[in-house]
Each structure stands twice: as structure tokens, then as C-alpha cells.
Amino acid sequence: MNIDVVIPTRNRPDRLIKCLEALERAKEYINFEVYVCDSSTTVRKRQEVENVCTKFEFVSLHFHGGNNVAAARNFCAKVASAPLLVNVDDDIYVEPKAILTLYNSYLKSEGNRVIAGSVAWDNDWSAPVVMRSIGYGRKAKANEKPSFLIGAFFLYPREFALKLPWNERIKTSDDRFMGAVWRSHNIHLLYESNARAFHDHQHTAYDVKHQESHIYANMFDTLIANFNVRRAISYQFLGFAASAKLYLKDIRTVFPFFYAWIKGNAAFVKDYKFLKKYTRIRL
């Protein structure tokens, strides 16, 4: 079998069952196995996840103790076996032909590559993202090389994940970090708009602590992975100002914002040698 679907999940059996029901319909068009990688935090939730998975013959359930998305995706790559993996987050519901479409699009392209499908958040469909000078992204225009892909639904070679694992030292900003890694290794970031999926109506909210990983990933991109001092300075100053507009409006988030920004920069400095070695890994 050339392709496996991997699903990182945590404390959300109610969404997982809808995700698997959608994949069951997708299996009518292309054969694949599903590996559910669960890090639920209570015995009860783990049992509920297990009860969900036993309803589907094509699902293999694996538990792990990772505490963030990066750890979950690394674990998924280890337990799966096919050369190509499709990540489907547990709150993503694919259209019946989405896996087949994504797979065929990958086969038609060449070189080292990863490819994302398009996910609908309400009426907004995801697309590749280009980083702006303020440290935040926008949707890429036609023929514009993206900075990163949305990782909720994408296909990648398992070998990439084993040799260039997700960075488990950061809590969020995984997509931005891996986009920087892949670009530094000349891995093409592709997109198939016809491989479509829908995000659950409940959305994950990121609080001010997210700024710690945000600046860490931006500094990694511009000072190590894809060296650009001017962009790094822009991220520090224009990015700080753009973020401040969000968090300085509320007295409750003023100190946490400054603390997260300082902590993120400090973590980057602390991890500098580790990150340099990381980018020297050869595929």
C-alpha cells in the first residue's frame, strides 16, 4: 500500500468519529489504512477514543504521551508504514474524493514535495500562505511561492517526517516552522484546491501565549533556515507592533504578551545550536 492516513487526536472523540465517517466514504475511491494517534489526557477519554476506533475495521489506534501537535505528528510518522502519509486533523472532514485527488496531484508533480488540500473554515477556504513583513501571513497569489502550507490536511513522504521531524520544543506555529524547514531543504510546497475538506464548526482559539512560538518560528526562518536579516528585523519591530495592537488593548494581556515575546526570543537563542544542526540534516 502506497498511502496511509494519520490522525493526531486529543480528548475529542465526538469529532474523531465524524472524521472517520468521512474517511470511510473516501475509501470507496482509494484504498488506505488509518492510524489514529491519541494523546487524550484522561482514562475516560482514551476509552471513548478506543470505542470510536473499534467501529471502523480500517483503523489502527495507538496511544502516546506527547503534549503538542509536533509530538503527535512525529509519533504518527513512526507508527505508520506507507511511504506517503496524509495528515487529517481529527476535526477535519474530507470530501469523498479528497484523498484520491490529493494523491493523484502528488503523483503528477516531481521532485521533493509536500502538498496540501483546501480546508473550509466556515466559508473561507484555506490556501498556501506567504509571510508579510509584519510577521503574519496572507494567502498566496497565483504563481507566488508560499512560505508555508496549512497542515490540517496535507500529504507528505514519511521519510521527510522521520529525517526532519516536527520541532517538539514549540507549542504552536508548527505550520510556519515546518514551512521554513522544507524551504531550506528545497522541498516544494504544493497545493491542490480540488482536494477539499471541511473544518468542524468549533474552532481552536490561540491565546496570548501563542506569541512565544510565533516569534520563535519567525526568527528560526529568517536567521537560520532561510537567512534574511532585513526580514528578521522587520519581524521583531513591525511584528511586535502588529501583535501589540491585538494584546495591548486589554490590561489582562499586556504583561503576558511582553512575557511571551521575551520568552520566545530567549527560547530561540537557547535552541540556536540545536536548530542549526537541524537545518544541516540531509534527506
Side-chain angles (χ1 to χ4, degrees):
M1 191 173 299
N2 291 327
I3 187 170
D4 287 334
V5 171
V6 294
I7 306 174
T9 189
R10 184 183 180 93
N11 296 331
R12 300 199 293 200
D14 56 325
R15 303 187 204 183
L16 177 63
I17 191 168
K18 292 188 286 185
C19 176
L20 292 174
E21 287 171 346
L23 288 169
E24 187 173 39
R25 293 187 288 271
K27 277 182 66 66
E28 297 177 9
Y29 296 92
I30 182 174
N31 189 33
F32 54 82
E33 295 296 317
V34 173
Y35 292 80
V36 172
C37 302
D38 180 42
S39 61
S40 293
T41 54
T42 67
V43 173
R44 180 180 177 181
K45 284 297 182 184
R46 289 198 169 203
Q47 186 60 58
E48 290 177 359
V49 168
E50 185 172 357
N51 292 342
V52 166
C53 291
T54 56
K55 299 177 185 294
F56 304 89
E57 294 182 356
F58 57 88
V59 172
S60 174
L61 174 61
H62 303 265
F63 293 108
H64 69 100
N67 59 7
N68 57 26
V69 173
R73 289 186 175 158
N74 289 335
F75 181 80
C76 285
K78 292 176 182 177
V79 299
S81 59
L84 296 177
L85 305 181
V86 177
N87 179 86
V88 179
D89 285 359
D90 62 357
D91 55 357
I92 299 298
Y93 315 134
V94 300
E95 289 188 344
K97 292 185 178 180
I99 303 294
L100 174 63
T101 301
L102 195 64
Y103 178 66
N104 285 339
S105 184
Y106 177 87
L107 294 182
K108 291 177 183 178
S109 54
E110 297 180 349
N112 288 335
R113 60 208 184 275
V114 297
I115 182 168
S118 187
V119 176
W121 276 267
D122 297 323
N123 294 318
D124 183 26
W125 289 90
S126 68
V129 179
V130 170
M131 289 296 293
R132 302 160 63 193
S133 59
I134 61 171
Y136 290 90
R138 60 166 175 77
K139 290 182 180 180
K141 300 176 182 177
N143 300 319
E144 192 174 23
K145 290 186 177 181
S147 303
F148 65 91
L149 302 173
I150 302 300
F153 175 41
F154 74 108
L155 183 155
Y156 59 99
R158 179 169 177 258
E159 178 187 16
F160 290 1
L162 296 177
K163 291 186 176 180
L164 293 169
W166 275 261
N167 182 4
E168 298 182 22
R169 301 187 183 197
I170 55 176
K171 296 178 181 179
T172 57
S173 297
D174 307 275
D175 293 352
R176 187 182 302 120
F177 184 91
M178 290 310 296
V181 171
W182 289 332
R183 283 185 287 113
S184 72
H185 286 78
N186 296 315
I187 295 172
H188 303 300
L189 308 184
L190 308 180
Y191 171 64
E192 177 50 71
S193 61
N194 293 316
R196 307 197 310 173
F198 297 88
H199 193 283
D200 191 86
H201 68 279
Q202 298 184 57
H203 296 262
T204 301
Y206 293 103
D207 60 19
V208 65
K209 294 179 181 178
H210 163 68
Q211 289 295 309
E212 180 181 335
S213 300
H214 175 90
I215 190 59
Y216 180 108
N218 282 353
M219 290 301 97
F220 166 72
D221 186 4
T222 53
L223 294 181
I224 296 179
N226 305 282
F227 192 76
N228 187 329
V229 174
R230 179 180 293 181
R231 181 53 68 98
I233 294 172
S234 177
Y235 285 170
Q236 284 289 353
F237 291 96
L238 295 183
F240 179 86
S243 298
K245 288 182 180 179
L246 298 174
Y247 298 111
L248 299 189
K249 295 178 181 179
D250 189 336
I251 190 65
R252 294 171 296 181
T253 58
V254 172
F255 177 75
F257 167 65
F258 281 104
Y259 180 72
W261 196 271
I262 294 170
K263 191 176 178 181
N265 276 293
F268 168 73
V269 172
K270 180 181 178 181
D271 289 350
Y272 187 84
K273 290 184 179 179
F274 161 77
L275 294 171
K276 286 288 287 186
K277 292 180 180 178
Y278 190 88
T279 57
R280 291 171 183 159
I281 296 172
R282 293 189 177 184
L283 294 175

